[in-house]
Amino acid sequence: GSAWFVSAHGAVAAWQYDLDQPNPGMGSAHESIAVPIASLDAGLVFERDWDLFGKTFVQTLEPRAMYTYIPYRSQNALPVFDTVQDDFNFTQLFSENRFIGGDRVGDTNQLALAVTSRLLDPATGGERFRLAVGQRFYFEDQRVTLSEVPRSASSSDILLAVEGRISEAWAIAGLVQ
């Protein structure tokens, strides 16, 4: 709808390696794995007219929640060609896999929560200001890793993002973790 969304996603990430020269520590030159992925993402958008400093804006309040479940599958015997751990930011907060690349799928049982508020120009629909805060809550310890120490905390750092348009040509943005 125009004021809400719900998106359910299910997938299976599967890959196989057929290597001429396996890496030391690999089980064999022909390793394969399949990892199921499930998520449910939902949000609301509330709007109101708001006068600020003699100018009228449309203010939004946008709560969002995303639950993700990816069961543990051992991937230690698999090579890593092009995969790295993604930076923790607002885009990554609502992504299913914490890795970028095709060689790892991170196990997780988590809930990401965030709320965003925007000031929109009612004449153009352009965003003039945005404030967002978000955090993840983990229900199981992390087991799949690359080179990082496995996470055992029950929640992530809190993210706070601020972005504002100073003029049509200039904007300022900041993110605090």
Side-chain angles (χ1 to χ4, degrees):
S2 61
W4 59 275
F5 71 91
V6 175
S7 177
H9 179 246
V12 174
W15 61 102
Q16 179 174 334
Y17 295 93
D18 291 316
L19 304 174
D20 293 334
Q21 298 177 4
N23 292 337
M26 282 188 63
S28 74
H30 309 287
E31 294 285 343
S32 63
I33 191 164
V35 182
I37 300 169
S39 67
L40 181 64
D41 190 3
L44 299 169
V45 179
F46 300 101
E47 291 184 356
R48 71 174 183 154
D49 292 333
W50 190 34
D51 291 326
L52 182 65
F53 305 120
K55 184 159 175 60
T56 300
F57 293 97
V58 173
Q59 181 195 17
T60 69
L61 183 66
E62 306 168 31
R64 182 177 178 186
M66 181 176 174
Y67 174 74
T68 305
Y69 180 72
I70 303 172
Y72 171 74
R73 298 291 188 266
S74 178
Q75 300 168 47
N76 295 336
L78 302 176
V80 178
F81 293 110
D82 64 351
T83 300
V84 296
Q85 186 169 355
D86 197 1
D87 290 332
F88 186 59
N89 54 41
F90 267 96
T91 302
Q92 210 279 327
L93 181 68
F94 291 102
S95 66
E96 294 169 327
N97 192 7
R98 67 180 170 272
F99 299 111
I100 298 172
D103 298 314
R104 291 290 183 273
V105 174
D107 60 316
T108 195
N109 184 3
Q110 69 187 25
L111 177 65
L113 299 173
V115 64
T116 302
S117 183
R118 304 171 200 268
L119 291 180
L120 307 174
D121 184 332
T124 65
E127 183 179 272
R128 303 304 290 184
F129 180 78
R130 179 182 348 145
L131 174 67
V133 62
Q135 186 174 21
R136 272 190 185 155
F137 298 93
Y138 304 105
F139 305 116
E140 294 177 5
D141 289 345
Q142 168 188 336
R143 296 172 65 189
V144 175
T145 63
L146 280 175
S147 59
E148 78 275 16
V149 174
R151 176 198 46 26
S152 61
S154 62
S155 63
S156 71
D157 292 341
I158 295 173
L159 296 175
L160 174 65
V162 177
E163 186 172 345
R165 182 150 301 283
I166 298 169
S167 70
E168 292 306 315
W170 290 91
I172 188 166
L175 175 68
V176 176
Q177 179 176 343

